[in-house]
C-alpha cells in the first residue's frame, strides 16, 4: 500500500461527500481524506490502485484531481 496525494478542486463538505461516494467504491472509507483547509484541497489516499484510477474516480464525481509530487 502506498499513500498518494492529489490537488483537488473540492470546496465544501458537499464536494467531499460527492467525491467520497466514488472513492468508497474503490477503497475503505477510512483510507482517504480531503483537507479543505490546505490551499491545494489535498486528497490523501492509501491504496494499491494506480493514481490514474483515483483521478478517474474523482472525475466521475465531477471534480478534478492532479497528482502532487
Amino acid at each position: 500500500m502506498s499513500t498518494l496525494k492529489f490537488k483537488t478542486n473540492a470546496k465544501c463538505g458537499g464536494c467531499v461527500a460527492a467525491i467520497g461516494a466514488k472513492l468508497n467504491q474503490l477503497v475503505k472509507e477510512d483510507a482517504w481524506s480531503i483537507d479543505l483547509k490546505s490551499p491545494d484541497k489535498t486528497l490523501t489516499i492509501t491504496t494499491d490502485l494506480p493514481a490514474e484510477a483515483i483521478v478517474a474516480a474523482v472525475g466521475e464525481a465531477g471534480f478534478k484531481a492532479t497528482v502532487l509530487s
Side-chain angles (χ1 to χ4, degrees):
M1 294 276 244
S2 59
T3 300
L4 306 174
K5 291 186 181 278
F6 301 85
K7 177 180 180 177
T8 73
N9 62 341
K11 293 184 176 20
C12 65
C15 300
V16 172
I19 293 169
K22 292 295 183 182
L23 292 179
N24 289 341
Q25 295 173 7
L26 302 176
V27 298
K28 292 189 295 185
E29 193 171 330
D30 63 353
W32 65 271
S33 65
I34 297 178
D35 182 1
L36 292 176
K37 293 180 183 174
S38 74
D40 289 335
K41 311 299 186 213
T42 306
L43 162 63
T44 304
I45 188 166
T46 303
T47 183
D48 285 328
L49 295 169
E52 296 80 21
I54 305 307
V55 170
V58 173
E60 287 174 17
F63 297 90
K64 293 182 181 179
T66 308
V67 177
L68 292 172
S69 53

